[in-house]
Amino acid sequence: MDTLSDPVLLSRLQFAVTAIFHILWPLLTIGLSLFLVAMEVLWLKTRDEDYYRHVRFWSKLFLLNFTMGVVSGIPMEFEFGANWDRFSGFAGEFFGNALGFEGAMAFMLEAGFLGIMLFGWTRVTPAIHLFASAMVALGASLSAFWILVANSWMQTPAGGHVENGRFRVDSYADAIFNPDMPLAFAHMWGACLETSLFVIGGLSAWYIVRNRHPAFFLKSFKAALLAAVLVAPLQVILGDIKGREVYKTQPVKMAAIEAHWETNPPGQGASWNVLAWPDRQAEANVWAIRLPQVLSLLATTTWDGRVAGLKAFPAADRPPAIG
């Protein structure tokens, strides 16, 4: 029971639950906004009324996701100050600015044009409406950009120095485009697209199977399927590259993620723990399901590449949770 009264653990649990619930909605907001723009372009180009109806239909799901994203995202902003006040005080000069840019630049752009996109069909010209839809999509992607800037900076801090117990920014460009940011944003943006395409395709398939407007939903199903065929392999490639980037820039984090304790000797590849139950006190895994040499292949693209184990790092520098 003492564990449940630990404020650090409770803060982590609260933030984890909030973040897990919140991320479900921006994923679809970003992907759906791009899908709506594509459907509107097709409508203006072909004048096929089905594309217009698709924009109106999927806009309802977009509005629901946007609303839930806002409602679930606001508590996260407060949790940074309430749960992690020391971190906010230390890193606020950059971290707070990044979150501020997300609100002032991305969210306001998205919210500012949302009304025109949803309710301006008979009030503005088609070209202006398309522009509004594009600005909403741009704002949604900009929001992801700034959030990933803040998150990636926590992984690979750059662009400043510590002075009197606070992080002082020397170069905003270096801080924003820190080593982790480009791949982190690309991988997350790809996840938004892929998730949205599967949701659109899945919902379309549900209507088709139940014979509810099958001809109408066949168009969105085909569009989602075709795009997913292109996006899904790209996401696998981005994830593989991102994993190797973590190995290069955060080797102790890589070892902790994979519950990898012992550095593999020369000429022998490191095994990949598909499932493991780590024991931090014993500095070993209680049990593990391993694939020989695969971790070396994933991290170094060679079968016998060296992957540093957790024992290669001081105990104080190891992440607090592994597995």
Side-chain angles (χ1 to χ4, degrees):
M1 297 300 294
D2 291 339
T3 302
L4 295 179
S5 62
D6 180 3
V8 176
L9 175 63
L10 293 176
S11 295
R12 286 173 174 162
L13 288 175
Q14 183 188 39
F15 193 85
V17 170
T18 309
I20 290 170
F21 180 75
H22 171 69
I23 194 60
L24 298 173
W25 311 105
L27 280 172
L28 290 177
T29 298
I30 293 167
L32 275 172
S33 66
L34 296 169
F35 181 79
L36 291 173
V37 171
M39 289 291 105
E40 192 166 349
V41 168
L42 288 172
W43 170 57
L44 293 176
K45 184 177 181 181
T46 65
R47 291 297 172 179
D48 185 336
E49 288 297 314
D50 273 353
Y51 290 124
Y52 167 78
R53 295 190 185 97
H54 271 294
V55 177
R56 300 300 296 267
F57 176 82
W58 295 106
S59 292
K60 297 175 184 177
L61 181 60
F62 175 86
L63 179 59
L64 172 64
N65 277 275
F66 179 83
T67 304
M68 291 300 296
V70 173
V71 171
S72 60
I74 290 175
M76 293 182 65
E77 300 278 356
F78 287 99
E79 285 176 20
F80 282 116
N83 295 21
W84 314 111
D85 59 319
R86 291 188 182 180
F87 171 77
S88 298
F90 168 77
E93 183 174 332
F94 176 75
F95 191 81
N97 282 349
L99 297 181
F101 287 146
E102 189 271 336
M105 181 188 299
F107 179 74
M108 290 303 170
L109 176 65
E110 189 177 7
F113 284 95
L114 183 63
I116 299 175
M117 187 187 84
L118 293 174
F119 308 113
W121 289 101
T122 60
R123 295 175 174 83
V124 298
T125 64
I128 293 298
H129 190 277
L130 176 61
F131 177 76
S133 299
M135 290 300 99
V136 170
L138 175 61
S141 293
L142 272 177
S143 180
F145 172 82
W146 285 112
I147 293 299
L148 265 296
V149 165
N151 182 276
S152 62
W153 181 84
M154 290 191 291
Q155 314 304 316
T156 54
H161 66 281
V162 177
E163 180 182 320
N164 297 326
R166 299 193 64 180
F167 181 83
R168 304 294 185 184
V169 179
D170 297 324
S171 169
Y172 269 95
D174 290 342
I176 292 170
F177 297 99
N178 60 80
D180 184 71
M181 196 284 292
L183 282 171
F185 173 68
H187 188 48
M188 190 68 225
W189 197 73
C192 295
L193 294 182
E194 187 174 5
T195 302
S196 300
L197 290 171
F198 276 98
V199 169
I200 293 168
L203 287 173
S204 299
W206 186 88
Y207 278 98
I208 293 170
V209 167
R210 281 156 181 75
N211 203 31
R212 296 175 60 180
H213 312 290
F216 175 78
F217 285 103
L218 187 60
K219 286 189 175 182
S220 55
F221 178 78
K222 287 181 177 179
L225 180 62
L226 178 62
V229 168
L230 300 174
V231 172
L234 177 62
Q235 181 68 345
V236 172
I237 294 171
L238 287 172
D240 178 59
I241 298 173
K242 182 69 176 67
R244 292 201 299 274
E245 185 270 336
V246 171
Y247 161 72
K248 293 177 182 177
T249 60
Q250 303 174 82
V252 65
K253 179 180 175 181
M254 175 74 163
I257 291 172
E258 304 298 345
H260 178 58
W261 291 96
E262 303 284 350
T263 304
N264 54 302
Q268 181 179 331
S271 297
W272 179 43
N273 296 317
V274 181
L275 290 173
W277 188 276
D279 185 338
R280 296 185 66 204
Q281 310 253 290
E283 297 187 330
N285 295 323
V286 177
W287 60 266
I289 300 174
R290 298 185 179 91
L291 293 179
Q293 299 180 296
V294 173
L295 184 58
S296 288
L297 181 64
L298 292 173
T300 69
T301 68
T302 63
W303 288 106
D304 58 355
R306 180 183 179 276
V307 181
L310 279 168
K311 289 185 179 181
F313 304 93
D317 294 338
R318 299 172 191 168
I322 60 173

